[in-house]
Amino acid sequence: MKHITIKDVAKKLNCSVSTISRAFNDKYDIRKETRDHILETAKEMGYSPNPMAKSLLKQCSNQIGVVVPEFINAFFPEVIIGIQEVFIKKGYQVLIMQSGESQITELENVKTLENNMVDGMIISLSLETKNVDYYKKLIQQGFPLVFFNRVSNELETSKVLIDDYKWAFFATEHLIYQGYKKIFHFSGPEGLMFTQNRKNGFIDAHRKHKLPIENDSIITAGLMINDGEREMEKLINENNIPEAIFAVNDPTAIGAMKMLKKHGYKIPEDVALVGFTESRLAPLIDPPLTSVAQPTKEIGRTAALLLLEQIESKGIFVPQTVILNGRLNIRESSMKLK
Amino acid sequence: MKHITIKDVAKKLNCSVSTISRAFNDKYDIRKETRDHILETAKEMGYSPNPMAKSLLKQCSNQIGVVVPEFINAFFPEVIIGIQEVFIKKGYQVLIMQSGESQITELENVKTLENNMVDGMIISLSLETKNVDYYKKLIQQGFPLVFFNRVSNELETSKVLIDDYKWAFFATEHLIYQGYKKIFHFSGPEGLMFTQNRKNGFIDAHRKHKLPIENDSIITAGLMINDGEREMEKLINENNIPEAIFAVNDPTAIGAMKMLKKHGYKIPEDVALVGFTESRLAPLIDPPLTSVAQPTKEIGRTAALLLLEQIESKGIFVPQTVILNGRLNIRESSMKLK
DNA sequence: AACGTTTCCGAAAACGTTTCCGGAGATATA
DNA sequence: TATATCTCCGGAAACGTTTTCGGAAACGTT
């Protein structure tokens, strides 16, 4: 159970600890033969430097922290894979914490990671976040921070996003091109930037094509399957069935689809559906769901690279916002069959 | 950027660092008023003890490590949520690493965590793992280790499992009760214990009901969607269509389903399907897939509790194997319609 | 021969904690 | 009054590293 330390190696080799350290850190002031000899016996003994001691001394940990709202859905895990790809290659470790959509846990997580001396963090905000002030403090201290997807425009940091507005616009336009006229939007919780942007895309696509937007055609639903189910059921009860629905994300679209099928509606013949943030479900459900795919791993990689840049650029540094491209994957759920 | 240390607090209060430390660790030899005063100003200053320094000194980190093969599918993330539930409450942090089904990365991850002085690890082995010797060494050193789901019977540690044999047996029996006779099994990669167990359950269910097993009715497929697709396509080409399929897991079942639907087969009328390790997809695809659900969070919680027990029982400790109950969720994909 | 350079290495300080040891003062006991 | 016992606190060592500083030896230059 006892760990082998640098001292054990020094004792065994009858030399000082500093020499061992030099051997491991490839310093110039050590003879090559000594170095090789040290590395060899160190390996034999199973020694490897203790990262905590190193962190304590260097005041940085070679660790970065990631805080995400959840990893129930595929989105965040995939982003994390992209993040890890970059950092592991660079010899960093990635500590992952989830805040469960709670601002309190989110703040706790951030503080824990801070105490652990992570060299930077990549964060996607929880739904209700009101931790902006704390993040501002961190930013002011020069702590490297990168946000993705769920961001706040009050914070001046690097950000990675996709253009929600643009892709919501395209998705809506796609429905319009198919000839649908009575199109509804199932929207997310107010206050989230992406909710606003997707809604605006929906609206402006209508404007461009000079289609009127009914008063009740934008429905604040939520982000989960049961949100979609609930709102769809309401519409069915009111017998207010649209020709097509553009949903703020896949789960709400899927919820709506479930409810429609349950009541005997055919998709896309009776109602067409488009989702957002393509989930793994999209191509597998019946009918396959049209959705805007986000480049998840790419988001992770980009965020990681931005953070790395900031960490290494000790000091002057200009926050960047990178907007990645999505893709509209058109599938049966939105194809008007003639 | 500079962290506030115990020394800063000591200087401000004109007392020694040891006193501050005592205040924070609630030692008996400090006057209550001094303690309260210290805690108050420390809070004001925004001080909190540096966990790395503490770890270095105490030779343990209050961190535990989790190594899983992947978190693409929902299974492992859900288990992790269960693990975190327990440990966060106890003041531990949970470091998560994924090995990507590679034994090499798995070993690296384990060593990284070891270097980071985690107090214990929870592991689910990668497909091809041959790291048994290394784990044996750790166990011999008394390092707390708990495995779940993907375990090795060569290792004497606590384990959390579900009874794959039993539930495969039930799942198969369910198909038999429905009246299906020509039942195939899409099996996982050889060498994995759960593959063997599920296969044996399949076989013994046939024995019990005195149903013959054809030579070619057990097919080694894999664990992914495309494995299911590939093997199903072969069967279709050979025109060797079973009445029902019990698949080693949901993705293979779903792959088979996709391919069957593509070729115009109706489910369950032409072919019935049953999966395993219920995925979030199961109830949503068309038709909904019958599958054995595993109590994912419960698995995580149980593993966490077992590990905690071992960590706290400094010394004597008897490894336990906990077998949790699954549940067969019967859905349309396996219901014989009369 | 005297001096300056270079090459290599050891000693020691530092990172931020906790804890053991001892000591000062106060209180209780004889 | 002298001694023993508490109560509370400071000093210093320790955890495992890296790095600065200085010094010894070897070499080159005049």
Side-chain angles (χ1 to χ4, degrees), chain A residues 16 19 22 29 31 34 57 59:
Chain A
S16 75
T19 309
R22 268 186 278 258
D29 56 347
R31 213 172 49 204
T34 357
L57 192 60
Q59 295 285 66

Side-chain angles (χ1 to χ4, degrees), chain A residues 80-127:
Chain A
I80 291 173
I81 291 174
I83 294 174
Q84 287 186 314
E85 228 173 73
V86 172
F87 276 108
I88 289 185
K89 206 170 291 171
K90 285 277 187 174
Y92 282 79
Q93 280 172 73
V94 180
L95 308 194
I96 302 156
M97 309 201 75
Q98 60 165 343
S99 50
E101 298 287 11
S102 144
Q103 49 168 338
I104 298 171
T105 323
E106 181 182 301
L107 190 58
E108 275 174 5
N109 287 345
V110 169
K111 285 184 178 170
T112 301
L113 291 170
E114 209 188 337
N115 275 336
N116 255 44
M117 289 186 174
V118 293
D119 301 344
M121 292 190 217
I122 296 179
I123 300 173
S124 197
L125 296 173
S126 72
L127 278 187

Side-chain angles (χ1 to χ4, degrees), chain B residues 13-27:
Chain B
L13 286 171
N14 269 331
C15 68
S16 76
V17 289
S18 22
T19 309
I20 312 285
S21 174
R22 268 186 279 258
F24 269 87
N25 294 288
D26 222 18
K27 291 287 173 181

Side-chain angles (χ1 to χ4, degrees), chain B residues 36-50:
Chain B
D36 293 344
H37 183 220
I38 287 173
L39 289 182
E40 197 180 334
T41 45
K43 188 167 209 172
E44 257 169 39
M45 297 175 68
Y47 165 76
S48 70
N50 181 322

